Amino acid sequence: MPIKIGFFDTKPYDRKSFEKYNEDYGFEIHWFADRLNEENMQLAQGMDAVCVFVDDTVNAPVVRYLAQNGVKLIALRCAGFNNVDLSAAEGKISVVRVPAYSPHAVAEYAATLMLCLNRKVYRSVNRTREFNFKLDGLMGFDMYGKTVGIVGMGRIAKVLIGILRGFGMHILAYDLYPDMEFAKQNDVEVVDLDEIYRRSDIISLHVPLTPQTRFMINRVSINKMKKGVMIINTGRGKLIHTEDLILGLRSGQVSAAGLDVYEYEQKFFYEDWSDQMVNDDKLSILVSMPNVILTSHQAFFTREALQNIAQTTLDNVKSYFDDGVVKNEVKNK
């Protein structure tokens, strides 16, 4: 009998990508458009594994239900795992993920946000569509010679550092466990967070969401930053306290923000709300601000990344059921 996998929160591009690569694996895949949560967890009955994404709710009740109904593996088709209750899963059900689908995709997108914000590309495009070719309000600055603070030194951050070195920027970096050899080879100055805040013209976030990093960008940290700092977040929405960021933008302490993630994105992202009232005042404010670019968690979204996600996810499942090897396991720390 083929292994049965229940895929939740699926979109047409997920199905196209996974069906292509599943030809080599032969799993029996059941597609569900709904996000996994307590209200629909019964859909997982009869499955050997479930495959979930960033906005599925895999809390303690869901984990218990899955384990009690024969599901042996939770396969995340993403890098983040903060939506899974790992303590509830420990000893009951294995959890695996895709640790690196395309660091280039996310790093390049972070650089894109920096450039678009700096040179006001989004405002210029809107103007020229109305045949307004004035330059007032579109002035940016040379990236060359400016200081960028990279928070985190993982795969994505290292690719971004390589990109920004090409612009001739001075690079600061912070990490709990910094790669000093990489820093030395790439002219990166490893500093503490307060120095990142004090000296950086641009700050880009590349850390996982943990109790220690939750809301690390808040009123206190923003007030430590150089006036007019640009903040880029392609990591997790809850790294930034949204209300405090809005205050920083309004006061001018923060000159611009490029956000591919949002504190309360779970309700809205990956869905079409264009013909409905969006009952989220903070989201509405951010979208309306002329110095903010907010996109729908799309930094990962390249052909190469989708290919890597599909292949790694299916390989994780195959290794578990064929060989008993838990590849790319996420453990409760």
Side-chain angles (χ1 to χ4, degrees), residues 31-183:
W31 303 99
F32 303 113
D34 293 339
R35 293 170 179 169
L36 179 61
N37 54 48
E38 291 182 54
E39 295 180 358
N40 64 12
M41 56 191 179
Q42 69 274 6
L43 292 172
Q45 281 190 359
M47 301 298 151
D48 300 294
V50 295
C51 184
V52 298
F53 198 47
V54 292
D55 291 324
D56 291 287
T57 301
V58 195
N59 56 15
V62 172
V63 168
R64 285 195 296 269
Y65 181 87
L66 295 176
Q68 291 167 1
N69 284 272
V71 176
K72 300 175 180 63
L73 184 70
I74 297 169
L76 291 149
R77 58 182 186 275
C78 53
F81 48 85
N82 54 280
N83 57 326
V84 179
D85 190 324
L86 295 176
S87 59
E90 188 173 14
K92 299 183 181 69
I93 189 168
S94 296
V95 181
V96 295
R97 65 176 180 138
V98 181
Y101 30 87
S102 176
H104 297 279
V106 181
E108 290 167 8
Y109 197 83
T112 299
L113 290 174
M114 294 179 194
L115 292 168
C116 286
L117 281 167
N118 174 25
R119 301 307 300 270
K120 316 295 191 297
V121 175
Y122 57 104
R123 299 184 69 185
S124 180
V125 169
N126 288 336
R127 284 188 187 185
T128 55
R129 283 177 174 167
E130 297 179 353
F131 296 94
N132 176 356
F133 299 102
K134 282 191 172 184
L135 298 183
D136 297 339
L138 301 180
M139 185 178 291
F141 56 81
D142 286 358
M143 302 280 278
Y144 179 85
K146 297 301 187 295
T147 298
V148 59
I150 307 295
V151 182
M153 287 183 69
R155 295 180 181 91
I156 294 169
K158 287 177 177 177
V159 174
L160 180 60
I161 285 168
I163 294 170
L164 300 181
R165 284 186 68 206
F167 290 140
M169 302 189 77
H170 180 60
I171 298 172
L172 311 178
Y174 165 81
D175 196 283
L176 282 175
Y177 307 100
D179 186 337
M180 299 305 295
E181 184 61 30
F182 173 88

Side-chain angles (χ1 to χ4, degrees), residues 203-252:
I203 294 173
S204 191
L205 305 179
H206 301 280
V207 291
L209 180 63
T210 67
Q212 291 72 37
T213 62
R214 182 182 176 93
F215 299 140
M216 65 184 302
I217 303 302
N218 54 51
R219 190 174 308 189
V220 173
S221 60
I222 288 172
N223 286 336
K224 293 178 180 178
M225 295 176 188
K226 180 186 288 190
K227 188 172 179 62
V229 67
M230 178 192 296
I231 298 175
I232 304 294
N233 187 9
T234 54
R236 289 290 176 265
K238 286 186 172 62
L239 297 177
I240 296 179
H241 190 283
T242 305
E243 188 172 346
D244 291 353
L245 175 63
I246 291 170
L247 291 173
L249 287 161
R250 282 176 165 164
S251 71

Side-chain angles (χ1 to χ4, degrees), residues 179-192:
D179 186 337
M180 299 305 295
E181 184 61 30
F182 173 88
K184 182 179 179 181
Q185 292 174 356
N186 291 274
D187 299 319
V188 175
E189 187 179 349
V190 178
V191 297
D192 62 25

